[in-house]
Amino acid sequence: MQHKIQAEKFGSRGAGMAHAVETCVHCGFCLPTCPTYQTLGEEMDSPRGRIFLMREVLEGNLAVEAAQPYIDKCLGCLACETSCPSGVEYGNLISPYRAHAREHGKTGPLRKAFRAILQETLPYPARFRFLLRMGAIVRPLKGLLPGVLKASFDLLPKNISSADSLPEIFPAKGPLRARVGLLAGCAQQVLAPEINRATLAVLSENGVEVVIPKSQSCCGALAMHLGEEERAKALARKNLEAFEQAGPLDAIISNAAGCGSGMAEYRDLFLGQPEEERAAKFSSNVQDVSLFLYNLGIKQPKGLPEPAKIAYHDACHLAHAQGVREAPREILKTIPNLTLLEPLEWEVCCGSAGTYNIEQPETADILGQRKAKNLAATDADAIATGNIGCLVQIRGQMEKRDTNIPIFHTMQILEKAYQTDEK
């Protein structure tokens, strides 16, 4: 697409934004895989429509506020990148553009306050746990609240876990094969702390020593998604320092697709800045736990205690943003008594997308229903996925359908297979 964007006006990431715009040829291959286009049917709710809008804003032909309703409805799932034959790097446009829009656009006071609450609670497990407990108390009054706040109560968990203090070092079993650092995550520590425990158990079983730096912070993905670039940088700097202080590591492991994708963006976040070299080194060392185990070669588990059919759900920020699809499937296939099933429309987002199901509840609900329907159609005994947001979203949608199909993190299923091995 031709443009007149003066890239130098937009800092070190301006060239990446301009390149993404000029690479798009408006072919339309992205349309069938774009969740919002498929749901809303509007050209401006498609990747090529949004690229046109962002180009107009960056050229100075359109006000930020005119484009923002369509930009806000983008999940950032990057399915468009997977399906694009021209190689448009949409992620290199949407993230810095959101930072530009936040700086130069106007946000209503309610939305601004709501986003401030999200950013001051979700990245901090203790605060987030407190918020959930307060939410459970206030839930009977949700009908009195504005729509964006009311919808968030539907996502509250039935049970809120107690704080789980992870050790700073979790030893390997048997001969040491690798030493890694683990990002503990934020919301996941509150919503499903058992995922980290399962991850530690599986890595240990495979001869991997795990370091969990106490000084680590949120990955910054939430801040990036909301256009809070400086906040994202501050969080990223804490992680750069925390994992550097951990000593030599073979990899920095994430067990949440959104977090892994966020940390992989550090190299772009610090482009042209003093931290660029450190950030690039850090990002190149980030791996999803499934990919790390796949490349390492996992210890063969004995198998599940009973035969089970497992449907695998691709988290967008694992499949599209990180390009990891084969690894989790292959490690699940190593488990005896497990039959792996594939749902239709693997490439379509479930509607979670960070805080999307809170900020855009109607569209998220439609996408969640679509995903739950496809997963239920497999007649699976359980569902596996690699992202806490997807897990919460799909579980909630299954409950709405009154479909009793449990959903687990891939590491939880693998842990169960190793537990069987001990009996």
Side-chain angles (χ1 to χ4, degrees):
M1 184 190 300
Q2 292 184 342
H3 68 82
K4 297 178 181 178
I5 299 171
Q6 297 179 38
E8 64 277 5
K9 289 175 56 178
F10 302 100
S12 59
R13 303 187 73 179
M17 288 197 286
H19 180 69
V21 170
E22 68 190 23
T23 308
C24 177
V25 297
H26 268 226
C27 66
F29 275 83
C30 58
L31 301 183
T33 61
C34 176
T36 50
Y37 180 77
Q38 289 298 309
T39 302
L40 303 171
E42 294 285 344
E43 172 67 15
M44 293 307 169
D45 286 313
S46 73
R48 68 181 186 183
R50 291 187 178 106
I51 290 173
F52 173 81
L53 289 172
M54 287 186 277
R55 183 197 72 176
E56 290 295 289
V57 172
L58 295 173
E59 287 183 345
N61 302 322
L62 187 68
V64 169
E65 292 78 14
Q68 208 55 33
Y70 302 100
I71 305 303
D72 282 344
K73 282 183 278 188
C74 176
L75 294 115
C77 68
L78 301 185
C80 53
E81 286 198 2
T82 300
S83 60
C84 180
S86 301
V88 175
E89 294 178 329
Y90 183 81
N92 283 344
L93 173 60
I94 188 68
S95 289
Y97 175 85
R98 280 179 161 153
H100 170 79
R102 183 198 169 278
E103 183 178 352
H104 298 279
K106 297 178 182 178
T107 304
L110 179 60
R111 181 169 291 274
K112 185 179 292 186
F114 184 62
R115 287 187 165 187
I117 291 171
L118 292 177
Q119 293 194 92
E120 292 297 335
T121 54
L122 286 180
Y124 308 97
R127 298 181 195 176
F128 184 40
R129 187 174 288 105
F130 177 79
L131 181 68
L132 293 181
R133 286 174 176 155
M134 291 301 100
I137 294 171
V138 178
R139 181 160 26 198
L141 303 176
K142 71 174 186 177
L144 303 176
L145 298 172
V148 69
L149 293 177
K150 187 188 304 181
S152 62
F153 282 88
D154 294 331
L155 297 172
L156 289 175
K158 292 180 179 178
N159 300 302
I160 302 170
S161 302
S162 300
D164 182 16
S165 180
L166 296 172
E168 193 156 4
I169 296 179
F170 199 86
K173 286 186 179 179
L176 183 65
R177 301 173 67 196
R179 185 176 188 267
V180 304
L182 175 68
L183 184 85
C186 308
Q188 182 169 275
Q189 289 191 62
V190 179
L191 297 171
E194 61 274 13
I195 292 175
N196 277 340
R197 286 292 175 179
T199 301
L200 292 175
V202 170
L203 288 169
S204 176
E205 195 71 42
N206 281 275
V208 181
E209 179 181 274
V210 186
V211 182
I212 309 106
K214 294 294 183 184
S215 58
Q216 67 176 280
S217 71
C218 167
C219 67
L222 170 62
M224 292 182 216
H225 182 77
L226 297 179
E228 294 276 359
E229 194 168 276
E230 291 307 313
R231 184 185 291 261
K233 287 177 183 176
L235 294 169
R237 289 188 187 101
K238 289 184 179 181
N239 284 328
L240 291 178
E241 184 173 347
F243 285 93
E244 285 170 354
Q245 291 178 350
L249 299 172
D250 295 298
I252 298 167
I253 299 295
S254 171
N255 56 12
C259 297
S261 178
M263 292 192 294
E265 285 191 52
Y266 286 3
R267 62 166 68 90
D268 298 317
L269 192 63
F270 289 107
L271 194 65
Q273 297 182 40
E275 300 92 343
E276 180 178 355
E277 185 176 345
R278 292 169 63 204
K281 181 180 179 181
F282 182 98
S283 291
S284 66
N285 211 20
V286 172
Q287 289 188 48
D288 183 77
V289 64
S290 65
L291 181 62
F292 176 79
L293 287 168
Y294 175 66
N295 290 333
L296 183 69
I298 71 165
K299 171 187 172 183
Q300 175 66 50
K302 185 175 181 181
L304 298 178
E306 300 290 339
K309 296 179 292 181
I310 306 292
Y312 182 75
H313 161 72
D314 283 283
C316 292
H317 280 90
L318 191 55
H320 300 307
Q322 299 179 61
V324 177
R325 295 195 68 229
E326 180 184 14
R329 287 170 168 82
E330 290 302 314
I331 63 176
L332 286 171
K333 286 177 183 178
T334 65
I335 302 175
N337 266 347
L338 188 153
T339 300
L340 192 64
L341 304 176
E342 297 288 348
L344 295 174
E345 299 184 323
W346 69 266
E347 71 281 2
V348 178
C349 183
C350 69
S352 173
T355 60
Y356 192 90
N357 53 0
I358 301 174
E359 296 200 87
Q360 304 284 340
E362 293 181 2
T363 305
D365 189 57
I366 293 170
L367 291 171
Q369 290 177 28
R370 181 172 178 170
K371 182 62 66 174
K373 179 181 177 181
N374 283 330
L375 286 165
T378 64
D379 195 31
D381 299 309
I383 301 162
T385 190
N387 188 54
I388 182 62
C390 301
L391 191 150
V392 171
Q393 171 80 341
I394 293 169
R395 179 180 288 160
Q397 293 295 334
M398 287 296 184
E399 289 174 355
K400 286 183 181 180
R401 293 174 54 88
D402 199 25
T403 305
N404 189 28
I405 304 178
I407 179 166
F408 302 100
H409 193 282
T410 306
M411 293 301 106
Q412 290 177 283
I413 294 173
L414 197 55
E415 180 193 31
K416 172 63 73 174
Y418 285 129
Q419 286 176 345
T420 302
D421 195 33
E422 295 173 358
K423 294 179 181 178

